[in-house]
Amino acid sequence: MTNKVISRKSEKKNIRYYLYFLIIVSISIFFRNYYLLRLNFLVLDGDAIIITKSIERLLANGLSEIGYSNGFGYQLFAAIISIMTNISAINFQIYFRPALGTIFIIISYLFYYCFLKEKKLITLSVLLLLLSPMTLFETTRGSHFFMTLSFFMLLIYLFINYFKKKDINWLLLILIVFFTFSSTNFYFILIGVCVFMIIILADYYFKRCDKISGGKINYLLSQHVIISIIILSILGLTIVYIYSPMLEMSLWTFQNIGDDLFIFSFDEIQTPSAYTYVTDAWKSPILYWSVIALYQITILPLSIVLFVSIIINIFIKNIKQERSLLLSLLIFAILGIIVVFSIIVDLIGAGGVGTNLQLRTTQFIIPFSILIIGIYISHFNKSIYEFMLCNYNIIIIFLILLFSIGSLLYITGEPLVSNSWRFTDNYEKNTLFWLDNSLKNQHNVWEADKFVTGSRLKFTYYYIKPYFEFKKISFVSNSLTPEYYVDSDIISSHYNDIGIKTFKFDEKQLIYNNGKANCYLS
């Protein structure tokens, strides 16, 4: 009778746990659909446009010319889906791709399951990762990042399980997933390879600490060396033979970084545009730091403080812990060093890799920041741990209320609070392509509201226009005397919102009107 009662309680706990996880997945789907619906599916994002054109090139020319040197994995995936479903690349990117980011949340469960034993703590960790504004944005927009981060976390899960169980099937899965991972983006593949080599070395070190016999140690060493060689060989195969532009781009980048660091002078430090983005893109810095960036200024610093506390407990107070915990600390430390290096690269403008490398590399440390918080709660602070177990439902609701608003504002670049408007509408789109169809040769058109992140009209035109079609419109500033002007309700609203007076157009020069967008002759 007692066993039946215990079994029923266990079943209820499992059902409740699965229900929580289903709620989190539902929230992920809601957030990503909000991203689309808030801006009427016509979201403009610079990286997503580049990737979309790259997919179109791949569909037309194969891997020989995709116009993106850093990787090809996501483009190949999208092209395959496009062929199988007969959906164009642009429609896949606009309507279907954002929802796929939910895969990342599902994989994150496997990741946290490797390190944390308490199911409630695992669920809270997954929820916290979902609520991260930066990670939510990067895994929602149509770029390679959702694949890069998903495969990164999946590989950590596979590596840990392989070294625990020594089952060849886990190793085969590692090789298959790593091959896919190695095709996504070379910069972030290197981060992954650093982490995977650390896992391999750590496992060998831990096995040596077990004081096994010399013959087994030699076998273990050869096994780990072979795995490392296979991993590096797959990477070499991908970037040298399958898609050589990745190698060419990486060599060029590393040479430039080396040159720039060698001739570096403190007088040359300039604040990158990505670091001034807060004051340029958001109307209220107070709103940004108190709501939109609340996650970044709480979770990341908190994880560093708790990391130091854990280190003190383990190495100074000599409190022994399981090896998975030590491994997570080591990876967190290495990723922290990589983030610091990224900031240096951004500040001196080294390597031609842009000015927001730190923002991208931070995505890799966020899952481990949450893990460090979870480890501290479960291993080093029983009072907080018990409080979490007793008030689990309240904590879930509190976290959602605390971080969800900022995340939604961030991923949409909400026009009510942002100066950087990343959307268009069908009226603007139809006006541009009416003009495009009317022209025979290339003509200059006013670039309109080019605030913070570039011309919305230019983004709209190049996003929708197939790459292989002749571009009849060239967007220029008013100082270069455009031949045509496109005006719209959004353009007027954006100018008024910024506080800049827009042009007064001569109605006699009006050549097209569709109700909310007009086209004028110069």
Side-chain angles (χ1 to χ4, degrees), residues 197-253:
M197 291 299 112
I198 288 168
I199 293 173
I200 294 171
L201 288 171
D203 182 75
Y204 174 71
Y205 173 77
F206 292 148
K207 294 295 194 306
R208 279 188 64 93
C209 292
D210 291 336
K211 297 179 181 180
I212 58 179
S213 63
K216 287 185 178 181
I217 279 291
N218 292 332
Y219 171 75
L220 191 67
L221 177 61
S222 62
Q223 184 186 50
H224 285 68
V225 169
I226 290 171
I227 293 172
S228 301
I229 291 173
I230 293 173
I231 290 294
L232 295 175
S233 297
I234 291 174
L235 178 60
L237 175 68
T238 303
I239 69 173
V240 175
Y241 294 103
I242 297 178
Y243 193 61
S244 59
M246 291 175 72
L247 177 63
E248 296 165 6
M249 184 67 179
S250 62
L251 292 175
W252 175 82
T253 301

Side-chain angles (χ1 to χ4, degrees), residues 412-480:
T412 56
E414 173 56 53
L416 295 175
V417 298
S418 171
N419 296 321
S420 175
W421 291 15
R422 301 193 301 265
F423 67 98
T424 185
D425 63 13
N426 287 319
Y427 296 99
E428 286 186 332
K429 184 182 74 171
N430 292 340
T431 302
L432 285 171
F433 285 94
W434 172 86
L435 180 59
D436 181 79
N437 292 330
S438 302
L439 300 174
K440 293 183 179 180
N441 301 308
Q442 191 175 72
H443 292 267
N444 291 338
V445 176
W446 180 46
E447 63 188 1
D449 51 334
K450 185 182 178 181
F451 303 128
V452 186
T453 51
S455 167
R456 288 186 319 97
L457 292 183
K458 182 178 180 179
F459 282 173
T460 303
Y461 182 71
Y462 283 97
Y463 198 14
I464 307 297
K465 183 84 171 176
Y467 97 95
F468 47 81
E469 291 186 8
F470 176 65
K471 308 297 186 295
K472 300 177 188 177
I473 296 177
S474 176
F475 293 90
V476 298
S477 64
N478 189 56
S479 62
L480 295 178

Side-chain angles (χ1 to χ4, degrees), residues 24 28 130 142 150 157 198 200 251 264-265 279-280 291 319 336 394 397 429 451:
I24 292 173
S28 175
L130 163 64
S150 296
Y157 167 78
I198 288 168
I200 294 171
L251 292 175
F264 167 69
S265 168
T279 54
D280 294 338
V291 179
I319 301 175
I394 296 173
I397 295 171
K429 184 182 74 171
F451 303 128

Side-chain angles (χ1 to χ4, degrees), residues 101-153:
T102 299
I103 294 172
F104 171 72
I105 295 302
I106 297 171
I107 290 174
S108 69
Y109 164 78
L110 299 175
F111 171 80
Y112 289 115
Y113 186 78
C114 289
F115 301 96
L116 304 171
K117 305 306 177 186
E118 170 56 51
K119 288 183 178 180
K120 288 185 176 181
L121 197 54
I122 294 172
T123 308
L124 281 177
S125 299
V126 174
L127 177 63
L128 265 179
L129 186 60
L130 163 64
L131 293 171
S132 165
M134 293 185 294
T135 306
L136 182 61
F137 176 67
E138 293 291 357
T139 58
T140 300
R141 64 180 182 156
S143 78
H144 62 83
F145 240 92
F146 106 92
M147 279 185 66
T148 306
L149 284 171
S150 296
F151 285 127
F152 172 71
M153 295 177 69

